[in-house]
Amino acid sequence: MNSERLKDFRQAAYELLVRAKDATRELMDSVMTTPNVWCLAEFSLNPLFNRHRPCVYEALQDCRPDRKKLMLLYLEQLQKEAPPTEHILVAIDHTAWERPDAKTLKDRTHEYQRGVTVGQGYSTIAWIPEAQGSWALPLLHERISSGSSPILQAASQLKLVCEQSVNPVLAVLAREYGNACWVLALTQASIFADCLMRVRKNACLWSAPPAYSGRGRPRKHGQKMRPGDPNTWLQADTAIEIDEHPELGKVRVRQWLDLHFYRAAQQKINLILVERMKPMSNGQPFPPLWLAWIGERTLPKRNSLV
């Protein structure tokens, strides 16, 4: 991004801050250029923050930006970086904020953060601009109310991004979303996005049912497969081995096509197993990585098994 484009972007974002614009912009600059802080007030020590310490709190209290308009501004910028036919990669996650002692805090919920605690949950959808590195641009960061859930909130955020994006969207998600609830949320909300989710090893998936015999009710499910139980594994549809990955060493990838979760029998998914063949430094094998792929586009197929 050249300097003129950056100035235009900053000005457009500034106009969407509504109230306390100057203090909020200086606080944003301070946050982005301060390596470490122990408390919120330390952001006022940054040379870019030209105000007194109380202005840090006043900026947060008074500023009421329009989140959706800011998201549209971000999408406008990122779509300039990618051709219309190239997908944009977004990540979705649920973060818990522990507040067990804040008894007067409104709408606290039970959250799981190294055990069950009380606090507030937040759902974040972020654009991942680089194949390597840790940079991410949050498009929406919203609190999950007691009347919603992480899956419903994430589905709402993904739907909004897909509706406003010219590019196709690929979403990557943690294990919390690798289940039938997320698949049903995508279907019910008519979200047209490709999704790659991690799957817990104790999950259960089913193959397509056998052909109808002509008697009784047609079956919805075929053979059961549990990633954590190799005795239940079906024959993989595709497999490939990478002899020497530059970072992971020898890698084996297997894929099972047209599986489904029990409660979402109509939605086909591909189950993927990624295994690092080289053991860890202590001699133990690396834990396998189970992934589920769902979407209009499918992963590339191989004509032969390796």
Side-chain angles (χ1 to χ4, degrees):
M1 179 181 291
N2 58 45
S3 59
E4 290 300 322
R5 183 177 166 190
L6 178 59
K7 290 179 181 178
D8 293 341
F9 172 76
R10 283 174 57 86
Q11 184 62 31
Y14 172 81
E15 296 298 333
L16 296 176
L17 296 179
V18 185
R19 298 177 61 186
K21 297 180 181 179
D22 295 325
T24 303
R25 181 164 65 176
E26 290 184 10
L27 178 58
M28 292 165 56
D29 291 339
S30 177
V31 170
M32 289 187 291
T33 57
T34 302
N36 296 291
V37 294
W38 290 100
C39 67
L40 186 61
E42 288 191 32
F43 286 119
S44 64
L45 302 178
N46 190 297
L48 297 178
F49 194 82
N50 299 312
R51 299 167 187 274
H52 296 296
R53 183 178 60 187
C55 294
V56 172
Y57 302 95
E58 293 175 2
L60 295 177
Q61 181 178 359
D62 297 340
C63 182
R64 292 293 183 270
D66 190 314
R67 297 192 303 269
K68 292 182 174 56
K69 288 184 178 180
L70 281 172
M71 188 202 72
L72 294 178
L73 176 63
Y74 301 154
L75 285 174
E76 179 185 345
Q77 297 299 320
L78 68 89
Q79 286 167 1
K80 295 179 181 179
E81 303 295 327
T85 56
E86 182 178 334
H87 71 264
I88 60 172
L89 178 63
V90 299
I92 303 176
D93 201 6
H94 162 218
T95 303
W97 185 31
E98 299 182 56
R99 297 300 301 275
D101 299 323
K103 296 182 180 180
T104 60
L105 183 66
K106 294 182 179 180
D107 206 22
R108 289 193 303 170
T109 55
H110 287 91
E111 300 290 333
Y112 186 83
Q113 184 87 4
R114 301 181 299 276
V116 179
T117 185
V118 178
Q120 293 179 333
Y122 289 83
S123 180
T124 304
I125 180 168
W127 172 49
I128 311 300
E130 301 171 341
Q132 296 179 348
S134 59
W135 283 99
L137 173 64
L139 301 176
L140 280 175
H141 179 71
E142 299 174 309
R143 185 170 65 83
I144 305 170
S145 69
S146 57
S148 185
S149 70
I151 286 180
L152 293 178
Q153 193 74 32
S156 174
Q157 293 175 327
L158 182 59
K159 180 178 178 65
L160 185 60
V161 171
C162 291
E163 290 176 344
Q164 302 298 330
S165 175
V166 176
N167 301 68
V169 178
L170 168 60
V172 292
L173 306 102
R175 291 188 183 96
E176 185 176 8
Y177 307 88
N179 50 50
C181 293
W182 175 250
V183 175
L184 291 173
L186 293 176
T187 304
Q188 294 169 0
S190 301
I191 299 174
F192 301 101
D194 300 327
C195 295
L196 185 66
M197 307 92 69
R198 295 189 67 176
V199 178
R200 293 185 173 96
K201 64 179 181 180
N202 61 351
C204 297
L205 298 102
W206 276 260
S207 64
Y212 181 48
S213 62
R215 299 181 61 182
R217 186 181 66 177
R219 294 179 57 184
K220 294 183 179 180
H221 316 289
Q223 186 175 344
K224 182 179 180 179
M225 177 176 172
R226 297 181 61 188
D229 185 0
N231 295 325
T232 66
W233 292 3
L234 307 173
Q235 178 67 33
D237 293 281
T238 57
I240 184 174
E241 288 189 1
I242 302 174
D243 293 332
E244 196 62 35
H245 189 275
E247 298 180 3
L248 306 179
K250 187 176 182 180
V251 178
R252 179 170 61 191
V253 182
R254 283 180 277 181
Q255 181 179 204
W256 290 264
L257 304 176
D258 298 338
L259 302 181
H260 62 265
F261 292 109
Y262 189 87
R263 291 176 50 212
Q266 302 301 321
Q267 184 60 63
K268 297 180 180 179
I269 67 172
N270 296 346
L271 184 65
I272 304 164
L273 171 60
V274 182
E275 298 173 286
R276 294 180 63 175
M277 310 308 294
K278 183 179 179 181
M280 294 187 288
S281 58
N282 60 4
Q284 297 295 319
F286 282 95
L289 175 62
W290 290 94
L291 302 168
W293 170 272
I294 180 173
E296 294 296 328
R297 296 174 294 173
T298 58
L299 296 178
K301 296 182 179 180
R302 299 280 177 173
N303 295 328
S304 61
L305 299 180
V306 181

